[in-house]
Amino acid sequence: MRINILSGRTLRGFMESEKSGGLVLIVCTIVSILLANSSWIGEQYRSIWEFGVGSHSVAEWINDGLMAVFFLLVGLELIQEIYEGELSNIKRAMLPISGALGGMLVPAGIYMFLNHGTPTLSGFGIPMATDIAFALGILSLLGNRVPTSLKVFLTALAVIDDLGAIIVIAIFYTSSLSWVSLLMALGIFALLLLLNKKFYVYNMIPYIVGGIFMWYFMLNSGVHATIAGVLLAITIPFKKGEKKCMSNRWQHFLHYPIAFGVLPLFALANTAMIIEGNWDQSIGEPFAQGILLGLIVGKPIGITLFSFIFVKTGICALPRGINWKGLLGAGMLGGIGFTMSIFITLLAFDDIHYINESKLMILLASLASGIIGYTWLNFVMKKERERIS
């Protein structure tokens, strides 16, 4: 993988921005929960996000609109990874692919086992996600002791994880379809592809206008509107080795507004929830156990087990600087779900009880995974340093 994961920025710069973005998300989450549960302004604060603007509330515009821009960035990063990053070489790519696959299937399997035959079975996608900002933020707290190869592995794994979440959303969290709107959206997608591949149009205006219309028709199709962001990313001109191509420029432009604007707004809007006095009783419910065990236990087991199987069968190999203890620690950090897990929660459930309690379980599981992963890696890195010295 080239060191410049994103346009014009080194891996260190990327890690620092993700660390800062993760810290901002933590602050926004804490502030939002405190304000939402304040006896003074709690009701007024919650009403901000419920306020209607046209046909949607403020929170819905954030989730359906601004998050489409987040998915656009995810798509752009994925395209670059495929062309010139960790995913450009199949042998190198198979390790994070295998880890991501296990990190999705095992947590989903745990959730489905615990929720079989219940109304909450639809939440199986919640523990499948990894939050790249939080995970890399925690990893960066360990400083230079963490091998670059482990940072690259976790980054690639999180990107593939995002792709998996996008596929799950498109297949399993799509309501009744409006074929006319869907075909219109796909027609615009095909037109933008032609502009790029056939007519070599490198002016960004047609892609911006086309993306807006594609988002509108996708919003009305029944497929979640954020998928339009990923489709738009596929149409954006990308040229391997050219740092100033449109795709790289869009990445560079979007990264900071999303890390410090879109995602904090998402966190504020979706954690403005009332924590009931008997919230701990929900831990005994199947959906809560599925989320907690899926993220805290299923993620590290799935990531490590599938990576081990793929390495032992010769499909891939451990990069220099990574041992199994370190990879297990990365798997533990993979249990930090937050952004994508909360997003899937909103699609999986209609009942406000399940939504709020699921968000709380995601926060608890992410906190636990972060602490466990940091403690384990700190111990492993310390022992490794003592062994070398």
Side-chain angles (χ1 to χ4, degrees):
M1 181 180 190
R2 294 188 179 185
I3 291 300
N4 56 319
I5 292 179
L6 298 178
S7 174
R9 292 188 293 124
T10 63
L11 177 60
R12 179 178 296 179
F14 177 76
M15 292 289 294
E16 285 301 315
S17 67
E18 292 301 327
K19 174 183 175 181
S20 301
L23 293 175
V24 170
L25 284 179
I26 292 173
V27 171
C28 287
T29 299
I30 294 172
V31 169
S32 185
I33 292 175
L34 290 176
L35 290 176
N37 289 273
S38 169
S39 58
W40 293 348
I41 59 170
E43 185 175 347
Q44 293 89 336
Y45 176 72
R46 294 191 301 273
S47 67
I48 293 174
W49 309 111
E50 298 166 359
F51 182 78
V53 179
S55 59
H56 288 64
S57 67
V58 172
E60 287 171 337
W61 280 118
I62 291 171
N63 295 335
D64 291 342
L66 288 182
M67 286 301 284
V69 185
F70 165 72
F71 275 75
L72 168 61
L73 179 60
V74 170
L76 292 171
E77 291 176 349
L78 181 64
I79 294 297
Q80 181 165 355
E81 285 292 293
I82 291 173
Y83 278 104
E84 58 182 19
E86 187 73 0
L87 307 183
S88 62
N89 180 294
I90 189 63
K91 186 77 173 180
R92 292 202 312 267
M94 286 312 298
L95 182 64
I97 287 174
S98 64
L101 185 64
M104 291 184 284
L105 293 179
V106 173
I110 291 174
Y111 186 97
M112 294 173 72
F113 175 77
L114 293 172
N115 288 267
H116 178 70
T118 70
T120 54
L121 180 61
S122 59
F124 71 91
I126 297 172
M128 296 175 69
T130 296
D131 190 289
I132 187 171
F134 272 137
L136 291 180
I138 296 297
L139 192 65
S140 67
L141 295 177
L142 293 164
N144 295 328
R145 292 178 295 165
V146 181
T148 299
S149 53
L150 188 62
K151 299 175 184 178
V152 170
F153 169 77
L154 184 58
T155 302
L157 182 143
V159 171
I160 298 167
D161 197 291
D162 281 343
L163 174 62
I166 291 166
I167 294 172
V168 168
I169 290 170
I171 296 175
F172 297 103
Y173 295 107
T174 294
S175 55
S176 57
L177 285 175
S178 168
W179 285 103
V180 174
S181 294
L182 180 59
L183 289 175
M184 289 293 291
L186 294 178
I188 294 171
F189 169 67
L191 177 61
L192 293 178
L193 272 181
L194 283 174
L195 290 180
N196 177 8
K197 304 297 184 181
K198 181 71 174 178
F199 299 106
Y200 309 106
V201 175
Y202 298 133
N203 187 300
M204 66 176 61
I205 299 300
Y207 298 98
I208 294 174
V209 174
I212 292 172
F213 278 101
M214 182 164 57
W215 172 85
Y216 172 79
F217 286 113
M218 196 68 76
L219 178 68
N220 291 281
S221 71
V223 178
H224 201 271
T226 52
I227 301 301
V230 181
L231 294 180
L232 179 59
I234 296 172
T235 70
I236 303 301
F238 178 88
K239 189 172 182 180
K240 185 176 179 180
E242 186 177 314
K243 294 181 179 181
K244 293 186 179 181
C245 68
M246 188 185 295
S247 180
N248 282 341
R249 285 189 285 119
W250 279 37
Q251 285 185 62
H252 185 72
F253 173 78
L254 289 173
H255 187 75
Y256 287 99
I258 288 175
F260 301 105
V262 173
L263 292 183
L265 275 174
F266 176 84
L268 289 169
N270 290 286
T271 55
M273 56 189 184
I274 298 176
I275 299 179
E276 300 172 352
N278 58 348
W279 65 268
D280 55 314
Q281 295 180 8
S282 296
I283 295 178
E285 296 187 50
F287 77 94
Q289 293 177 349
I291 294 171
L292 291 170
L293 291 177
L295 287 172
I296 299 173
V297 179
K299 272 289 185 179
I301 290 178
I303 291 170
T304 307
L305 178 61
F306 273 58
S307 298
F308 182 80
I309 292 172
F310 275 58
V311 168
K312 291 304 178 182
T313 53
I315 298 175
C316 56
L318 283 179
R320 180 180 299 177
I322 295 183
N323 55 34
W324 289 112
K325 292 178 181 179
L327 192 140
L328 175 61
M332 293 171 178
L333 294 181
I336 303 174
F338 198 74
T339 304
M340 198 67 81
S341 292
I342 291 178
F343 189 81
I344 294 176
T345 296
L346 301 174
L347 303 178
F349 302 134
D350 295 321
D351 190 307
I352 192 64
H353 166 72
Y354 291 139
I355 292 175
N356 283 344
E357 296 304 311
S358 293
K359 289 179 183 178
L360 186 57
M361 295 305 125
I362 292 167
L363 293 177
L364 291 175
S366 298
L367 177 62
S369 295
I371 293 173
I372 294 170
Y374 175 85
T375 303
W376 172 258
L377 285 172
N378 188 49
F379 172 77
V380 169
M381 301 302 169
K382 183 178 180 180
K383 288 293 183 181
E384 185 69 17
R385 176 173 291 184
E386 291 176 352
R387 185 185 66 82
I388 294 175
S389 59

